[in-house]
């Protein structure tokens, strides 16, 4: 069944949230607790059918981060008290863990303990069958797999098998996959049972306001909070639509917003005044807290300290790295080797290179800026050759020079290309930026720009 | 040989040893010498002093940052129950500990951090190393964490058929850890076992945080880290995690390694540890610029060791190892190192020198130089009478100790005077000054002249401040001569301070100049004349200042003589830098890479 069919299915439903087989007041409270997801809730319930009926074998629910996928599904499960097993696939480093969690959720930990040491899919199916024959499902059992995209890295047969688990175990069980990416990226090339696709759209701005206004502060009126949310979204909506992040930011900055009210400088109706007070503050928050340059605790402390002048030391402010003298030159040499074509080494590092024009000396593809193309791999020999011509004093090629290369690799300033076990002539790439290398070369008094082919 | 074997078997720290001892033995005639065990004893004692001192220094230096880290963790342990915390419950408090690139030094820091946390904050401390869990699935990392926290009862290797493991099998997941944590903390509160008593009895409801230390953040696979953080953030409500990232480069490494969706789960605070150069400076102060420590290094050896540090590895531990290695070499190769110990002990052993040792003393270049300066009669006695040599040796040793006692305070004085001068003519660090002092006569160098010239134009308040610093350092020195010097210095300070602001017009050149039509040469000449005339008329401050400078100069000339000129300096000074440089211990061997390099150049041209 495709998405269009789901929509047809949806339209046939009655507008009020009524589903046979489920208690009505629970449904009503559920609908209240899930604002702006009424349509999704309705269609989900109707897809699930009555608790004792067999449901569709597998659903696939997708949508962006923080669009309420897991929240809706899990609240439905919890409120309607349906038997379910909820598993986060990030945690399942092996399929055995997944089986374990499912079995222990349905049949208790004793059943899960029966799994052999390294359970295969058939072990799981056999055990499930055995257990369900003892206690057959009176209601549909649900297996909810969050972050299902991780399943693609697991055993290739796992996903197709789970999609038709109902057939395999002969029990009333439904698998719900939750993911941030679309089904097309999942489909194994061997083909499989197609699950029901089900999309959770992003919240619109109006909906975000509605949801965010929910957690208003008890000591202030909801109207005030709603206006605060409006101001907040005015600043952040263009960069962030993640509900979770917005809630976090709203909670962090609300005390600042209320400051004039507490001091008695403004009344709740003076929205404009409040706006003037909070707006620059929010702008600053966008540059720091949102990017996690400043931790939220530090941000709060700064608000308490109430000093605008104190500039917080943001994470990216300390970009300076202290390196041993030769390591600096090794890094510079690596940078030169990465961004200069090997043919130009003669021009830069040999004394009597003659005159080589840039234009007719180079091949066509070398004419584009090497900085646009990114770093190129270079062999160790070339690195050392450049290093010795760059460094001003005579350095013996000692083992400690070579060990510095490997420590640069562990610091992620260089990266090794190819296999680690290539001892003969390993290849490296330099993975630092131009600004970084400029700063480094300034400390050793070396003009790196003079040696870069791009800046000739 | 006996000495060699014993010392190297007992010290697990050093392993590689080029055995060139046979040759050396013949050279020095150690073969039938029996003071080896004495030397071994002295050497071992010194070795232990070095070890202890470095640890003390490390502890002192790290104390501040470690304390603030512990404070941070405590704060978050408490914050767990408050309301504010709930709102962003899935944020994991994270400390980014900036350590610098000298990675091998970090091990000690982390060890003391672990101990500190376990003693004062929480028993649940785990430290993980990237090498142990670099494989892509996050399983190994979780396994490491669980193993360290819960002991070895975790089933890890699913393929491994092990009966004991089967019995107490716990799945390797964080939720299992959660269960375990709940039972343990409950037990903690109810029974309060003696290990955690001091933690739990003061405030029970505080939940103990689980601290995970990532020793080398950069080396971790970023996928593994992301997964681990995602998983942990799911359990923050039940399990109060705190992360500590040991970062070698810069805090922006976090942002480079983790996407926003993951880094938004962290609440990062940055902590800076002391830089390695400061660390080196304090080690230097404690072990090399210290009269109490009898073993000394010559200027060449210091240069090699400092060079390795600054140019190659930034590794203080390696520096200390180099020091220890030269100590070993010294005690091994120099039979007279028997006398390299505290004064009283050295005098005692000087009395009981063997015949051979006396002969060796006679062969010491410094002793020979000393003999040459003596009267002919005395020379004969020194060369023939062993007992006399022993007596002379005692006085010489006393002199040597005295020299050291006076040398270091004056060195520090000179450093505090010159370290604030523009362009640092005598070096920014005291080690540079030390090296040039023991290498040659300092006062014959150009740098010293320029430094003195700069000092001679200091303003009054600057001069007084610098002199006060000198007086401070001299106060701690307790020899008579230093007390004398201190008195003179204080006298100078007093005179400088009581100096009246007199004769303001004296120093100023009269502005009136007779302008005549002259050529450039003439003008220069007249100006120079005027200048020289002006310098002749110094005011009383200038007179006093030059007196002070002459006094300082005399101090330098008297006490900062190179160690080479001291008789018997070979007893204490280790000087074979060549051995050090080419020893496998230091790994400074020339590799065969140069051959390939030449090939590369050939291909190039």
């Amino acid at each position: 069944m495709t998405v269009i069919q789901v929509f047809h299915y949806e339209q046939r439903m009655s507008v009020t949230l009524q589903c046979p087989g489920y208690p009505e007041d629970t449904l009503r409270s559920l609908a209240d607790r899930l604002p702006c997801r009424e349509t999704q809730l309705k269609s989900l319930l109707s897809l699930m059918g009555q608790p004792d009926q067999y449901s569709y074998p597998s659903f696939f629910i997708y949508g962006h981060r923080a669009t309420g996928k897991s929240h809706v599904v899990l609240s439905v499960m919890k409120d309607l008290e349906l038997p379910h097993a909820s598993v986060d696939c990030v945690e399942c480093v092996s399929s055995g863990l997944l089986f374990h969690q499912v079995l222990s959720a349905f049949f208790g930990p004793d059943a899960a303990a029966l799994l052999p040491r390294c359970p295969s899919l058939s072990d799981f199916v056999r055990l499930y069958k055995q257990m369900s024959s003892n206690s057959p499902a009176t209601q549909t059992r649900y297996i909810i797999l969050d972050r299902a995209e991780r399943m693609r890295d697991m055993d290739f047969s796992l996903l197709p098998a789970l999609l038709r688990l109902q057939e395999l175990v002969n029990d009333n069980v439904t698998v719900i996959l939750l993911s941030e990416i679309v089904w097309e990226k999942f489909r194994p090339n061997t083909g499989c049972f197609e699950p029901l696709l089900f999309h959770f759209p992003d919240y619109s701005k109006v909906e975000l306001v509605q949801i965010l206004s929910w957690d208003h502060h008890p000591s202030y009126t909801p109207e005030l909070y709603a206006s605060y949310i409006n101001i907040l979204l005015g600043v952040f909506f263009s960069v962030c639509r993640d509900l979770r992040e917005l809630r976090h930011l709203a909670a962090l900055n609300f005390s600042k917003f209320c400051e004039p009210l507490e001091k008695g400088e403004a009344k709740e109706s003076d929205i404009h005044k409040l706006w003037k007070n909070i707006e620059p503050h929010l702008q600053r928050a966008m540059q720091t807290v949102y990017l996690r340059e400043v931790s939220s605790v530090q941000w709060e402390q700064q608000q308490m300290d109430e000093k605008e002048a104190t500039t917080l030391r943001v994470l990216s402010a300390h970009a300076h790295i202290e390196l041993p003298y030769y390591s600096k030159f090794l890094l510079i040499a690596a940078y030169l080797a990465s961004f200069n074509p090997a043919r130009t080494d003669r021009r830069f590092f040999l004394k009597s290179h003659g005159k080589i024009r840039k234009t007719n000396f180079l091949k066509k593809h070398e004419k584009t800026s090497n900085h646009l193309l990114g770093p190129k791999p270079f062999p160790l020999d070339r690195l050392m050759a450049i290093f010795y011509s760059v460094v001003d004093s005579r350095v013996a090629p000692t083992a400690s020079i070579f060990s510095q290369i490997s420590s640069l690799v562990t610091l992620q300033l260089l990266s090794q290309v190819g296999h680690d076990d290539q001892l003969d002539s390993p290849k490296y790439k330099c993975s630092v930026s131009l600004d970084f290398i400029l700063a480094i070369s300034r400390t050793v008094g070396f003009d790196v720009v003079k040696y870069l082919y791009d800046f000739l | 040989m006996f000495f060699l074997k014993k010392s190297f078997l007992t010290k697990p720290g050093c392993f590689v040893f080029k055995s060139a001892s046979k040759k050396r033995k013949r050279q020095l005639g150690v073969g039938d010498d029996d003071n080896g065990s004495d030397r071994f004893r002295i050497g071992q004692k010194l070795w232990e002093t070095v070890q202890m001192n470095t640890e003390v220094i490390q502890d002192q230096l790290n104390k501040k940052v470690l304390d603030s880290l512990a404070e941070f963790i405590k704060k978050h342990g408490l914050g767990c129950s408050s309301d504010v915390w709930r709102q962003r419950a899935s944020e994991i408090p994270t400390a980014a500990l900036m350590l610098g690139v000298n990675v091998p030094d970090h091990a000690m820091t982390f060890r003391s951090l672990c101990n500190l946390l376990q003693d004062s904050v929480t028993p649940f401390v785990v430290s993980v190393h990237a090498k142990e869990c670099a494989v892509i699935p996050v399983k190994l990392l979780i396994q490491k964490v669980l193993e360290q926290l819960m002991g070895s009862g975790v089933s890890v290797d699913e393929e491994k058929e092990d009966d004991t493991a089967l019995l107490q099998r716990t799945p390797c997941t964080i939720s299992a850890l959660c269960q375990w944590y709940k039972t343990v903390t409950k037990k903690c509160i109810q029974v309060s076992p003696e290990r955690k008593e001091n933690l739990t009895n003061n405030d029970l409801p505080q939940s103990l945080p689980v601290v995970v230390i990532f020793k080398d953040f950069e080396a971790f696979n970023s996928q593994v880290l992301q997964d681990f953080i995602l998983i942990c953030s799911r359990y923050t409500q039940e399990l109060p995690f705190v992360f500590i990232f040991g970062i070698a480069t810069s805090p922006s490494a976090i942002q480079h390694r983790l996407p926003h969706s993951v880094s938004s789960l962290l609440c990062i605070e940055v902590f800076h540890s002391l830089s390695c150069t400061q660390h080196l400076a304090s080690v230097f102060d404690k072990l090399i610029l210290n009269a109490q420590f009898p073993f000394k290094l010559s200027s060449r050896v210091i240069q090699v060791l400092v060079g390795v540090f600054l140019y190659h590895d930034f590794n203080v531990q390696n520096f200390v190892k180099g020091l220890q290695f030269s100590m070993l070499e010294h005690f091994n190769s120099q039979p007279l190192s028997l006398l390299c110990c505290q004064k009283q002990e050295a005098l005692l052993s000087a009395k009981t020198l063997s015949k051979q040792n006396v002969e060796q003393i006679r062969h010491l270049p410094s002793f020979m130089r000393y003999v040459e300066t003596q009267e002919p009669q005395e020379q004969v006695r020194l060369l023939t009478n062993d007992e006399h040599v022993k007596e002379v040796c005692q006085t010489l040793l006393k002199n040597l100790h005295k020299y050291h006692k006076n040398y270091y305070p004056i060195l520090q004085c000179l450093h505090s005077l010159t370290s604030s001068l523009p362009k640092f003519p005598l070096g920014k660090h005291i080690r540079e000054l030390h090296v040039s002092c023991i290498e040659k006569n300092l006062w014959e160098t150009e740098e010293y002249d320029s430094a003195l010239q700069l000092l001679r134009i200091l303003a009054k308040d600057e001069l007084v401040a610098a002199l006060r610093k000198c007086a401070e350092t001299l106060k701690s020195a307790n020899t008579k001569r230093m007390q004398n010097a201190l008195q003179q210095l204080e006298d100078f300070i007093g005179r400088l301070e009581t100096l009246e602001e007199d004769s303001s017009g004296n120093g100023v050149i009269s502005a009136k100049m007779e302008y005549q039509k002259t050529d450039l040469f003439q003008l220069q000449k007249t100006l120079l004349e005027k200048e020289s005339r002006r310098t002749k008329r110094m005011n009383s401050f200038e007179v006093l200042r030059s007196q002070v400078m002459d006094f300082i100069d005399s101090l330098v000339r008297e006490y900062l003589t190179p160690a080479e000129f001291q008789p018997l300096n070979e007893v204490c000074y280790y000087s074979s830098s060549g051995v050090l440089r080419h020893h496998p211990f230091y790994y400074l061997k020339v590799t065969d890479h140069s051959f390939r390099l030449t090939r590369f150049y050939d291909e190039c041209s």
Side-chain angles (χ1 to χ4, degrees):
Chain A
M1 206 188 293
T2 58
V3 185
I4 304 163
Q5 281 170 303
V6 175
F7 280 129
H8 283 300
Y9 196 56
E10 223 171 85
Q11 278 162 1
R12 264 184 277 136
M13 281 182 38
S14 56
V15 184
T16 51
L17 194 65
Q18 269 182 339
C19 274
Y22 298 110
E24 232 172 86
D25 45 343
T26 325
L27 283 180
R28 206 169 301 124
S29 77
L30 195 61
D32 286 342
R33 280 190 35 227
L34 301 171
C36 314
R37 292 282 95 144
E38 287 89 359
T39 41
Q40 281 77 19
L41 179 63
K42 253 182 267 169
S43 34
L44 184 67
L45 282 174
S46 53
L47 283 174
M48 282 158 54
Q50 288 183 27
D52 50 340
Q53 291 167 345
Y54 264 57
S55 176
Y56 199 77
S58 47
F59 302 153
F60 180 83
I61 300 178
Y62 64 102
H64 280 147
R65 264 185 100 211
T67 45
K69 301 179 296 290
S70 348
H71 184 57
V72 167
V73 174
L74 288 178
S75 339
V76 166
M77 294 298 155
K78 276 185 192 132
D79 283 22
L80 300 178
E81 290 166 354
L82 300 171
H84 68 279
S86 154
V87 182
D88 194 329
C89 291
V90 181
E91 274 182 79
C92 299
V93 284
S94 65
S95 47
L97 282 175
L98 197 152
F99 303 149
H100 191 277
Q101 288 193 25
V102 170
L103 285 178
S104 67
F106 286 156
F107 310 108
D110 295 340
L114 290 175
L115 273 174
R117 286 222 75 179
C118 195
S120 67
L121 189 64
S122 55
D123 284 329
F124 170 66
V125 170
R126 178 177 52 78
L127 207 61
Y128 191 103
K129 261 185 178 164
Q130 190 187 328
M131 287 295 153
S132 63
S133 63
N134 292 344
S135 56
T138 49
Q139 292 178 315
T140 317
R141 288 176 171 138
Y142 293 95
I143 299 175
I144 298 147
L145 299 171
D146 210 341
R147 277 187 251 258
E149 59 268 17
R150 298 290 179 127
M151 301 246 303
R152 297 176 301 171
D153 304 329
M154 284 146 85
D155 198 4
F156 70 97
S157 62
L158 185 66
L159 184 62
L162 280 178
L163 288 174
R164 53 200 324 160
L165 189 69
Q166 202 174 74
E167 279 175 57
L168 286 172
V169 297
N170 229 340
D171 186 43
N172 188 1
V173 63
T174 292
V175 177
I176 301 179
L177 303 170
L178 304 176
S179 174
E180 283 175 31
I181 53 180
V182 291
W183 171 246
E184 280 69 28
K185 303 270 176 197
F186 278 75
R187 201 175 279 135
N189 45 14
T190 46
C192 68
F193 181 84
E194 291 284 314
L196 257 180
L197 304 186
F198 194 10
H199 181 58
F200 272 53
D202 280 354
Y203 292 113
S204 67
K205 193 171 177 179
V206 183
E207 285 172 330
L208 279 176
V209 172
Q210 198 185 334
I211 299 168
L212 285 171
S213 311
W214 262 53
D215 33 28
H216 64 85
H217 206 274
S219 48
Y220 296 98
T221 56
E223 288 78 32
L224 179 80
Y225 198 80
S227 58
Y228 165 65
I229 292 299
N230 263 319
I231 294 170
L232 185 87
L233 280 182
V235 176
F236 282 103
F237 189 69
S238 54
V239 290
C240 171
R241 301 183 182 193
D242 188 334
L243 181 62
R244 222 174 304 171
E245 200 71 3
L246 285 170
R247 266 178 87 173
H248 174 77
L249 288 167
L252 268 185
N253 294 310
F254 187 62
S255 61
K256 181 83 183 171
F257 178 76
C258 296
E259 228 173 52
L261 294 176
E262 272 168 17
K263 282 186 188 163
E265 287 168 4
K267 276 179 251 160
E268 286 202 10
S269 50
D270 292 349
I271 294 298
H272 185 70
K273 202 167 182 179
L274 290 173
W275 178 79
K276 265 188 125 174
N277 176 44
I278 193 74
E279 217 268 354
H281 186 73
L282 290 179
Q283 288 289 358
R284 226 147 24 94
M286 185 156 75
Q287 279 152 23
T288 53
V289 195
Y290 172 61
L291 295 174
R292 291 302 189 279
E293 297 246 327
V294 170
S295 78
S296 40
V297 174
Q298 283 175 325
W299 182 252
E300 253 173 12
Q301 265 170 1
Q302 193 207 15
Q303 286 184 355
M304 305 240 180
D305 291 350
E306 191 51 42
K307 283 184 190 109
E308 298 288 320
T310 53
T311 43
L312 275 170
R313 298 179 59 136
V314 294
L315 278 187
S316 56
H318 340 247
H320 176 67
I321 300 178
E322 258 187 49
L323 287 172
Y325 189 71
Y326 290 142
S327 297
K328 286 180 185 172
F329 273 108
L330 277 172
L331 200 60
I332 291 171
Y335 192 83
L336 294 177
S338 262
F339 287 98
N340 280 347
R343 287 150 43 84
T344 60
D345 282 358
R346 255 183 91 183
R347 189 215 171 288
F348 287 120
F349 303 115
L350 278 179
K351 270 183 188 142
S352 53
H353 54 75
K355 275 187 182 167
I356 303 166
R357 289 268 157 73
K358 186 176 180 179
T359 39
N360 48 24
F361 165 60
L362 280 178
K363 289 173 190 160
K364 203 173 179 186
H365 65 92
E366 281 170 344
K367 281 178 188 164
T368 44
S369 166
N370 289 299
H371 278 83
L372 286 180
L373 296 172
K376 286 184 202 60
F378 53 85
L380 178 66
D381 294 337
R382 192 171 157 227
L383 171 70
M384 295 318 288
I386 295 179
F387 171 69
Y388 288 122
S389 48
V390 156
V391 78
D392 45 3
S393 54
R394 232 189 100 252
V395 195
T398 58
S400 68
I401 293 283
F402 290 100
S403 73
Q404 281 179 55
I405 298 178
S406 58
S407 64
L408 285 176
V409 172
T410 33
L411 295 177
Q412 305 264 326
L413 299 173
L414 297 185
S415 55
Q416 192 165 3
V417 185
H419 264 293
D420 292 344
D421 52 358
Q422 193 182 0
L423 294 175
D424 189 24
S425 83
K427 286 190 170 181
Y428 300 95
K429 255 186 195 181
C430 184
S431 47
V432 298
S433 65
L434 180 63
D435 287 339
F436 186 90
I437 213 73
L438 283 177
I440 287 278
S441 52
R442 214 174 295 128
T443 60
V444 292
F446 178 80
D447 189 9
V448 75
V449 177
K450 233 169 68 186
Y451 289 89
L452 277 171
Y453 180 71
D454 281 353
F455 298 103
L456 270 189
Chain B
M1 204 59 217
F2 160 67
F3 173 70
L4 256 178
K5 254 188 190 162
K6 200 167 175 187
S7 61
F8 300 139
L9 288 179
T10 44
K11 297 297 161 215
C14 65
F15 24 88
V16 200
F17 256 85
K18 198 163 73 173
S19 160
S21 53
K22 248 187 188 169
K23 205 168 116 203
R24 212 175 297 143
K25 227 192 272 175
R26 232 180 292 126
Q27 278 174 352
L28 299 160
V30 194
D32 42 0
D33 193 6
D34 56 351
N35 65 11
S37 58
D38 283 339
R39 270 152 46 198
F40 173 62
R41 188 177 44 78
I42 297 168
Q44 196 173 32
K45 219 171 100 191
L46 281 185
W47 179 296
E48 274 155 19
T49 333
V50 170
Q51 203 76 30
M52 207 182 68
N53 276 328
T54 42
E55 270 164 34
V56 169
I57 290 168
Q58 177 111 24
D59 283 351
Q60 281 171 352
L61 293 182
N62 283 332
K63 196 175 179 309
K64 207 173 145 204
V65 67
L66 293 189
D67 282 351
S68 57
L69 260 177
E71 202 51 46
F72 168 80
I73 291 165
K74 263 184 212 160
K75 188 178 77 191
H76 282 285
L78 284 169
C80 234
S81 49
S82 79
D83 270 341
V84 198
W85 182 251
R86 285 274 162 255
Q87 290 178 342
R88 44 166 188 277
S90 55
E91 263 193 355
I92 304 172
T94 305
L97 181 58
M98 310 308 304
L99 290 161
V101 293
N102 50 338
V103 183
D105 280 352
H106 301 173
M108 229 145 94
T109 315
F110 280 121
R111 213 180 309 136
S112 41
L113 176 64
C114 274
N115 290 339
L116 177 75
L117 292 182
Q118 265 164 350
D119 288 345
S120 65
V121 187
T122 167
F124 310 119
V125 181
V126 186
S127 58
V128 283
H129 210 273
K131 261 195 194 131
E132 303 161 341
C133 30
V135 201
I136 285 280
V138 70
K139 192 164 86 177
L140 268 178
L141 178 55
I142 297 179
Q143 173 192 326
K144 269 274 163 312
V145 171
L146 261 66
E147 252 176 18
Q148 287 189 35
L149 279 177
M150 305 161 58
S152 51
V154 195
S155 100
V156 270
D157 205 351
E158 288 181 336
E159 288 77 24
K160 199 172 73 183
E161 291 297 329
D162 196 342
D163 292 334
T164 52
L166 269 174
L167 281 177
Q168 36 179 326
R169 195 173 85 152
T170 330
C172 176
T173 56
I174 298 287
S175 59
L177 182 69
C178 238
Q179 291 296 324
W180 173 85
Y181 179 79
K182 265 179 209 156
T183 55
V184 167
T185 44
K186 218 180 269 169
K187 220 191 285 167
C188 228
I189 289 163
Q190 284 167 356
V191 199
S192 162
E194 58 271 34
R195 190 166 71 103
K196 292 151 197 162
E197 209 165 68
N198 51 347
L199 300 169
T200 42
N201 54 13
N202 43 13
D203 45 346
L204 286 177
Q206 181 195 343
S207 53
L208 297 167
V210 177
V211 182
V212 184
I213 303 174
F214 296 85
K215 281 185 183 169
D216 39 357
F217 180 79
E218 278 92 351
F220 273 93
N221 185 299
S222 74
Q223 191 60 47
V224 169
L225 268 179
Q226 286 172 32
D227 284 0
F228 188 73
I229 293 169
L230 280 176
I231 295 172
C232 287
S233 76
R234 277 171 57 87
Y235 290 97
T236 39
Q237 245 92 346
E238 298 115 79
L239 261 179
F241 278 109
V242 177
F243 290 161
I244 296 176
F245 293 157
I247 298 175
T249 52
S250 69
S252 49
I254 299 178
Q255 287 161 338
H256 291 166
R257 314 299 314 284
L258 304 174
H260 181 249
S261 60
V262 176
S263 65
S264 66
L265 297 172
L266 301 175
C267 178
I268 303 164
E269 220 165 295
V270 181
F271 294 86
H272 283 272
S273 77
L274 217 59
S275 80
C276 52
T277 42
Q278 279 166 297
H279 191 175
L280 179 77
S282 45
V283 169
F284 221 85
D285 275 351
K286 195 90 184 176
L287 293 179
I288 291 173
L289 303 178
N290 187 353
Q292 299 302 318
F293 191 70
F295 176 70
K296 310 283 175 199
L297 298 173
S298 76
S299 58
R300 293 296 303 279
V301 176
I302 293 181
Q303 277 167 341
V304 168
L305 288 179
V306 172
V308 168
F309 178 85
L310 288 180
Y311 289 111
H312 291 282
D313 55 6
F314 269 3
N315 188 343
V316 179
Q317 274 194 338
N318 212 3
F319 178 83
V320 173
K321 267 187 194 158
L323 175 67
Q324 286 177 326
F325 171 73
S326 32
M327 229 162 72
L328 271 184
E329 268 294 313
H330 181 64
F331 283 102
N332 180 30
S333 60
Q334 175 61 272
L336 289 174
S337 57
L338 179 70
L339 300 173
C340 177
C341 48
Q342 300 301 329
K343 192 172 155 191
Q344 297 306 324
E345 212 179 325
L347 289 181
L348 263 182
S349 36
K351 274 180 199 158
T352 56
L353 281 177
S354 68
K355 201 170 158 42
Q356 254 180 353
N357 289 141
V358 173
E359 203 52 42
Q360 279 154 357
I361 287 182
R362 283 191 185 126
H363 281 107
L364 287 181
S366 66
F367 190 78
M368 290 206 285
R369 240 175 284 142
Y370 170 75
V371 169
E372 276 163 22
T373 58
Q374 301 299 313
E375 300 285 313
Q377 226 173 354
E378 176 78 6
Q379 283 186 3
V380 174
R381 281 184 73 196
L382 282 173
L383 293 176
T384 51
N385 190 345
D386 282 4
E387 287 307 311
H388 186 63
V389 170
K390 281 183 200 172
E391 274 165 35
V392 170
C393 181
Q394 286 177 41
T395 49
L396 289 182
L397 277 175
K398 270 185 203 162
N399 284 342
L400 190 65
H401 279 272
K402 230 175 261 167
Y403 160 75
H404 282 144
K405 271 188 180 164
N406 295 328
Y407 175 88
Y408 293 110
I410 297 293
L411 184 76
Q412 271 164 359
C413 276
L414 185 62
H415 177 67
S416 59
L417 277 175
T418 55
S419 59
S420 54
L421 294 179
K423 285 190 181 171
F424 309 106
L426 288 178
K428 208 173 178 179
H429 303 280
I430 194 165
R431 56 170 184 261
E432 296 162 28
L433 186 61
H434 175 61
V435 165
S436 47
C437 276
I438 55 174
E439 202 174 24
K440 52 192 178 263
N441 283 333
L442 182 72
W443 54 89
E444 284 166 5
T445 58
E446 269 177 44
E447 291 86 9
Y448 181 70
D449 284 343
S450 62
L452 266 198
Q453 267 174 10
L454 285 171
L455 279 177
R456 279 178 201 278
I457 54 167
L458 273 187
K460 187 176 150 190
D461 45 347
E462 280 178 303
L463 187 65
V464 170
L467 289 179
R468 270 184 201 289
K469 257 196 264 170
C470 288
E472 281 301 311
T473 45
L474 285 184
K475 261 176 203 161
S476 53
N478 47 8
T479 60
K480 254 182 227 158
R481 292 184 189 190
M482 287 301 106
Q483 291 312 316
N484 254 339
L486 175 64
Q487 243 170 24
Q488 288 186 33
L489 197 64
E490 275 176 342
D491 184 40
F492 275 122
I493 295 174
R495 275 164 68 189
L496 275 172
E497 277 179 338
T498 53
L499 200 69
E500 287 159 36
E501 284 293 322
D502 64 338
S503 59
S504 53
N506 240 0
V508 185
I509 332 161
S510 54
K512 282 177 196 164
M513 280 173 77
E514 291 162 33
Y515 289 104
Q516 294 169 347
K517 234 187 178 182
T518 48
D519 58 349
L520 201 63
F521 181 71
Q522 280 295 326
L523 181 68
Q524 206 174 8
K525 215 172 163 186
T526 48
L527 279 175
L528 271 175
E529 260 170 36
K530 271 195 193 301
E531 187 70 7
S532 59
R533 231 182 293 145
R534 191 177 68 98
T535 46
K536 272 172 203 159
R537 278 184 288 141
M538 289 191 291
N539 62 18
S540 51
F541 166 64
E542 284 164 337
V543 172
L544 197 53
R545 184 170 61 187
S546 72
Q547 278 175 3
V548 173
M549 286 311 137
D550 290 342
F551 170 63
I552 300 270
D553 191 38
S554 71
L555 284 181
V556 168
R557 280 165 198 266
E558 193 174 353
Y559 298 111
L560 294 190
T561 49
E564 260 177 61
F565 298 151
Q566 296 296 319
L568 292 190
N569 72 71
E570 288 90 341
V571 167
C572 295
Y573 282 83
Y574 176 73
S575 55
S576 43
S577 58
V579 175
L580 193 67
R581 196 178 290 148
H582 296 296
H583 208 277
F585 180 81
Y586 245 62
Y587 291 117
L588 284 175
K589 284 199 299 185
V590 175
T591 56
D592 67 339
H593 194 81
S594 40
F595 297 113
R596 269 200 273 144
L597 269 181
T598 44
R599 205 188 65 206
F600 185 76
Y601 280 123
D602 287 346
E603 281 167 9
C604 253
S605 50

